[in-house]
Amino acid sequence: MGFLFISLCLLAATTSTVNSCPPSDRAALLDFKATLKEPYLGLLNSWTGTDCCVNWYGVSCDSTTGRVADISLRGESEDPIFARAGRTGFMSGSLSPSVCKLDSLSTLVVADWKGISGEIPSCVSSLQNLRIIDVIGNQISGELPADIGQLSRLTVLNAADNLISGPIPASIVNLQSLMHLDLSNNRFSGEIPTDIGKLTMMSRALLSRNQLTGSIPSSIANIYRLADLDLSMNGISGAIPCELGEMPTLSTLKLDSNQISGEIPASLLSNAGLSIVNLSRNHLEGYIPDVFGPNSYFTALDLSYNNLKGSIPKSVSAAKYFGHVDLSHNHLCGSIPASSAFDHLEASSFTNNDCLCGMPLRTC
């Protein structure tokens, strides 16, 4: 009986130890908290007491080890606390390198707080269990850690809507598990890594509104899962790789507001999977490929503000559907093909060309 009692006591002690975070994790979290200021909702006031696994807002622990596994702090959330306050969150301060002491961390989300500045600590590259980094919607500056490619389990890297500058780290192509990459609306410069095609698990690559230059790497076509590619509003030049039109799952392609030249690859407009294509505000020339057919289904096709010439291909009449179409501000000529797919379009879709005519413009 005594032996049983002692055993139960030991088991209870062990269970208690596993279920509560270790003092080192608690200390790291408190150091992390110390560099942040959230003045309106008092969310971080819950970070008190000895057990950081219980009722610490945005913190969760591994049920087996008791180690801190997730920090999830979102300033724009459906959490009732925001609804009751009638406001989104605001937080200032910076991301403390103490977060790197949480070596079991899987999720690091500090998103949409609008006022967090400073750099992403370079030591995050040492957190081998990290699967999600999401710091969207802050004022984070500096550069991405150069060795971020060491995070072999990372599936989401979202640093959009910040002030991050410098090049996209060359090591990023080593993130073999990466599925979602969003670096849009920052100040990244330099070229897209030529071997970005190594990221074969990626489904979304969003790099718009930066200062990227150079050409579009043809290796992107090796990312066979890629559904959404947005390189718009950069300084990208050169031709569009024809390989992009052969990608099996690509549905959205936005290359607008760059300095891209050359002709539109026929494969791009004949790809039945592509439904949103925006190539506007570039230096494209030549003819619109005559490759439309019964499988052509475009919710948006924007080729405006280029140097395209010739006529609108008659094959558009065979297309299954066109939603938004903009062919304005080119050098197109001839009659607009009669097509039920074009019936809903207004004159603004065709204006400022050389000599287009027919509905909805003047009669030929």
Side-chain angles (χ1 to χ4, degrees):
M1 187 73 177
F3 175 77
L4 178 60
F5 176 76
I6 293 172
S7 298
L8 289 172
C9 289
L10 289 173
L11 179 61
T14 303
T15 303
S16 175
T17 302
V18 169
N19 288 339
S20 60
C21 71
S24 58
D25 280 9
R26 178 180 178 276
L29 285 172
L30 291 177
D31 287 346
F32 185 73
K33 171 187 174 181
T35 61
L36 297 172
K37 183 178 180 181
E38 192 279 293
Y40 299 112
L41 301 176
L43 299 178
L44 298 184
N45 292 342
S46 65
W47 288 24
T48 185
T50 58
D51 191 353
C52 60
C53 295
V54 179
N55 296 326
W56 283 39
Y57 186 89
V59 177
S60 59
C61 300
D62 185 281
S63 59
T64 302
T65 65
R67 298 296 306 279
V68 172
D70 305 297
I71 297 175
S72 186
L73 301 171
R74 293 189 180 277
E76 295 182 5
S77 167
E78 296 181 359
D79 191 308
I81 195 170
F82 292 96
R84 289 194 298 269
R87 61 170 299 133
T88 58
F90 176 83
M91 191 183 295
S92 59
S94 61
L95 302 178
S96 170
S98 63
V99 73
C100 303
K101 297 176 183 178
L102 301 169
D103 53 22
S104 293
L105 198 66
S106 173
T107 300
L108 177 59
V109 175
V110 188
D112 293 313
W113 291 102
K114 308 172 188 66
I116 294 176
S117 57
E119 301 185 6
I120 297 174
S122 59
C123 59
V124 298
S125 299
S126 67
L127 296 175
Q128 293 301 305
N129 292 304
L130 263 185
R131 298 178 187 273
I132 297 174
I133 296 177
D134 187 349
V135 292
I136 186 176
N138 289 294
Q139 296 184 37
I140 294 171
S141 58
E143 300 185 2
L144 282 184
D147 53 357
I148 197 167
Q150 294 180 7
L151 299 175
S152 60
R153 298 183 180 182
L154 197 69
T155 60
V156 174
L157 175 55
N158 188 353
D161 301 333
N162 279 288
L163 304 172
I164 302 172
S165 59
I168 297 174
S171 72
I172 205 168
V173 304
N174 297 323
L175 297 175
Q176 298 297 304
S177 301
L178 194 66
M179 297 179 183
H180 178 102
L181 175 64
D182 191 351
L183 305 180
S184 57
N185 195 25
N186 277 285
R187 298 175 179 178
F188 287 101
S189 58
E191 300 187 5
I192 300 170
T194 56
D195 49 353
I196 194 171
K198 290 182 178 180
L199 301 176
T200 55
M201 298 294 290
M202 192 160 57
S203 61
R204 303 189 78 200
L206 311 177
L207 306 177
S208 65
R209 291 173 290 167
N210 281 290
Q211 299 163 20
L212 299 172
T213 55
S215 58
I216 301 171
S218 59
S219 71
I220 287 179
N222 297 330
I223 310 175
Y224 63 95
R225 297 172 184 257
L226 193 65
D228 191 351
L229 176 61
D230 189 350
L231 306 179
S232 61
M233 289 184 264
N234 280 289
I236 294 170
S237 58
I240 300 173
C242 60
E243 293 89 347
L244 294 188
E246 300 166 3
M247 298 179 68
T249 57
L250 190 65
S251 61
T252 299
L253 177 64
K254 296 180 180 180
L255 304 179
D256 50 293
S257 302
N258 279 290
Q259 300 175 31
I260 298 169
S261 58
E263 299 185 356
I264 299 172
S267 60
L268 208 60
L269 299 186
S270 63
N271 185 331
L274 268 172
S275 60
I276 298 175
V277 176
N278 192 341
L279 309 180
S280 65
R281 298 181 186 275
N282 280 291
H283 305 303
L284 295 170
E285 54 192 11
Y287 302 90
I288 300 174
D290 193 3
V291 292
F292 299 94
N295 293 324
S296 299
Y297 190 103
F298 289 95
T299 55
L301 176 62
D302 194 342
L303 307 179
S304 63
Y305 290 92
N306 279 292
N307 297 312
L308 301 173
K309 62 182 180 180
S311 60
I312 298 174
K314 288 183 169 53
S315 62
V316 298
S317 300
K320 185 175 183 179
Y321 177 77
F322 284 104
H324 169 78
V325 174
D326 195 346
L327 305 179
S328 66
H329 297 272
N330 279 289
H331 299 289
L332 301 174
C333 202
S335 61
I336 298 172
S339 169
S340 59
F342 272 12
D343 284 350
H344 64 291
L345 299 179
E346 299 181 355
S348 58
S349 294
F350 305 100
T351 55
N352 293 96
N353 276 288
D354 288 359
C355 48
L356 280 180
C357 60
M359 291 294 292
L361 301 179
R362 62 179 175 82
T363 56
C364 295

